[in-house]
Amino acid sequence: MAGAWFTLNEPRPAARHCERAAELYEEIGWKTGVLVALSNLVVAGGTLGVLHQGLDQYERIVRLWEAHDPSRLPALLENFAIKLMWAGLAGKALERQQRAVRLREEHPDRQPQGWRGRSYSILGDIHLALGDLGAAMEAFERGLEQAESGELAAALSSAAIVAHARDDGDGAVELARRAVQVAASGGMVREYEEARSTLAKVDASMAIGERIRVLRDVLDYYRDRTYPYIDVRARVWLAEVLLEGGRTEEAADLAREAGDAAGRHGLRRLEGQALTVLARACPPGREHARKAAELHRAYGHRLDEAAALAVLDRA
C-alpha cells in the first residue's frame, strides 16, 4: 500500500502505511521488514520536506543496514544523497553517492536492471549543485546510456540544466524537449511536469507568456501534493522568467515566497537562489545578494555563489 501511494505521488498516506508496516514487522520479529519500512519512511519524510529530522534517521538506518545486510546499502545511500543535496549539503551527498556507485559496481550481479541510469543521474545532479559542470555532464552521459523510463526523463532534464549553465542554449533546449517527449510517451506525470518546467526555464525562443503559463501549470500540479523541493524550484524558475519579462514586482513577490518556503524546509541552495533573484528584482539588492553569496559559499555551491557575487558587484 505504501508503494502504491508513492507511485501516485502521495507521500503522506505512504508514510502512514510505512509506520504501520514497521509496527507489524516488529511484532513478528522480522528485522529486514522493519528496516525496509523504516527506510521507506525516511524517504517519505524527505519528500515531505522534513529534511533535518530525516537526515538523522538516515544515519541511524545506514548503520543498521551495514550490520544486518550490506547488500541493501546502495539504494539507501542514494536516497540519502538526494536528501543531503536538497538540504544544501552537496559535499556530503557526493561522498554517499560515490560510495553507492562503488558498491553497485563491485556487485553488479546483485543490482536491478538499468541501475546506472539512476545512480549516475543522481551523481550528476550533485556535481551540478557543486558547480562542477564537466563532471556533471560526464555523469549524465554515463547515466543516459542505460537509463530507463522515468530515470531517462529525469536525466535528460538535469542534463539540459547543465547545458544551459554552460551557455549551450541549443543543446539545453534539445535535451529538455527530449525529456518532455520521453515522459509524455511513458505516461510519467511527475517527470513530465519536471521536464516541462525545465523546457520553460531553458528555451529563450519560447514566448515569455508561454513560459510563464507552463511554470504556473507546474505549480498548480504540485499545489495539492507534497514535493517541496520541486515546488520551490519551480517558483524560483518562474521568478527568473517573470524578471526576464519585465514583471519585476511579481518576480520579487514570488522570490520572497520561494525563499521563505526554502528556509522552512531547509532547502539551502534554493533559498540562496531565491535571494539572488530577489536581489535582481529589488535593486540595488546588496543585502539579499550578500546573504545569498554567503549561504552558497558556506555550502560549496560555487556557480550559485558566483551568480550572487555578480549581482552584488553590479549593486
Side-chain angles (χ1 to χ4, degrees):
M1 286 294 292
W5 283 116
F6 272 127
T7 302
L8 291 171
N9 296 323
E10 297 286 356
R12 283 198 178 95
R16 291 196 295 270
H17 282 84
C18 287
E19 288 175 341
R20 183 60 181 142
E23 292 169 0
L24 293 169
Y25 289 140
E26 191 72 54
E27 287 177 16
I28 64 173
W30 188 33
K31 188 173 182 180
T32 298
V34 174
L35 288 176
V36 168
L38 290 176
S39 299
N40 289 334
L41 183 59
V42 294
V43 170
T47 300
L48 287 163
V50 191
L51 286 176
H52 295 302
Q53 176 187 350
L55 297 181
D56 292 339
Q57 290 175 328
Y58 265 116
E59 293 284 11
R60 172 173 168 266
I61 292 172
V62 165
R63 290 194 296 272
L64 291 171
W65 274 119
E66 284 176 331
H68 180 63
D69 184 1
S71 69
R72 300 273 190 148
L73 276 176
L76 181 64
L77 287 168
E78 286 177 350
N79 286 324
F80 193 9
I82 291 170
K83 302 309 179 287
L84 284 165
M85 178 181 63
W86 286 0
L89 303 169
K92 291 184 177 180
L94 183 61
E95 293 173 9
R96 270 65 173 190
Q97 187 57 23
Q98 287 175 332
R99 184 184 178 197
V101 171
R102 187 166 60 251
L103 288 170
R104 289 197 187 280
E105 294 284 10
E106 289 172 357
H107 305 285
D109 55 314
R110 302 181 193 173
Q111 309 311 321
Q113 185 176 2
W115 66 266
R116 286 184 177 84
R118 182 172 192 266
S119 295
Y120 281 100
S121 292
I122 295 170
L123 190 61
D125 281 328
I126 296 168
H127 282 303
L128 174 58
L130 288 168
D132 191 342
L133 299 182
M137 189 57 83
E138 181 181 343
F140 287 131
E141 287 172 351
R142 289 202 66 178
L144 288 170
E145 291 173 1
Q146 298 188 34
E148 299 178 353
S149 58
E151 287 81 8
L152 177 57
L156 286 165
S157 292
S158 294
I161 298 299
V162 175
H164 181 69
R166 298 170 83 172
D167 290 327
D168 179 8
D170 292 341
V173 171
E174 181 183 350
L175 288 163
R177 285 177 177 164
R178 283 179 59 198
V180 171
Q181 292 167 357
V182 168
S185 63
M188 297 166 287
V189 180
R190 182 162 62 88
E191 290 81 0
Y192 176 68
E193 297 298 339
E194 183 175 351
R196 288 178 72 217
S197 64
T198 301
L199 182 60
K201 174 180 171 60
V202 304
D203 191 356
S205 68
M206 190 188 301
I208 284 285
E210 177 65 11
R211 295 168 73 190
I212 291 170
R213 186 191 66 75
V214 168
L215 287 164
R216 290 200 187 283
D217 285 350
V218 172
L219 284 173
D220 286 341
Y221 172 77
Y222 284 106
R223 180 160 287 120
D224 298 323
R225 290 170 173 79
T226 46
Y227 287 86
Y229 177 83
I230 300 174
D231 176 89
V232 173
R233 187 181 66 178
R235 290 177 190 277
V236 172
W237 289 358
L238 177 55
E240 290 174 343
V241 174
L242 286 166
L243 198 56
E244 287 181 42
R247 295 162 66 166
T248 307
E249 277 192 34
E250 289 179 73
D253 289 343
L254 198 60
R256 286 191 188 92
E257 287 179 20
D260 290 345
R264 286 196 306 273
H265 293 294
L267 305 168
R268 297 306 174 211
R269 185 177 177 224
L270 290 176
E271 184 181 1
Q273 290 177 345
L275 283 168
T276 300
V277 177
L278 186 57
R280 291 171 55 206
C282 301
R286 293 187 187 91
E287 188 60 21
H288 297 311
R290 182 186 61 77
K291 286 181 180 177
E294 289 176 354
L295 191 153
H296 288 309
R297 185 179 304 121
Y299 285 94
H301 307 141
R302 292 179 296 171
L303 283 182
D304 295 303
E305 180 190 355
L309 288 173
V311 176
L312 188 60
D313 285 346
R314 288 195 294 273

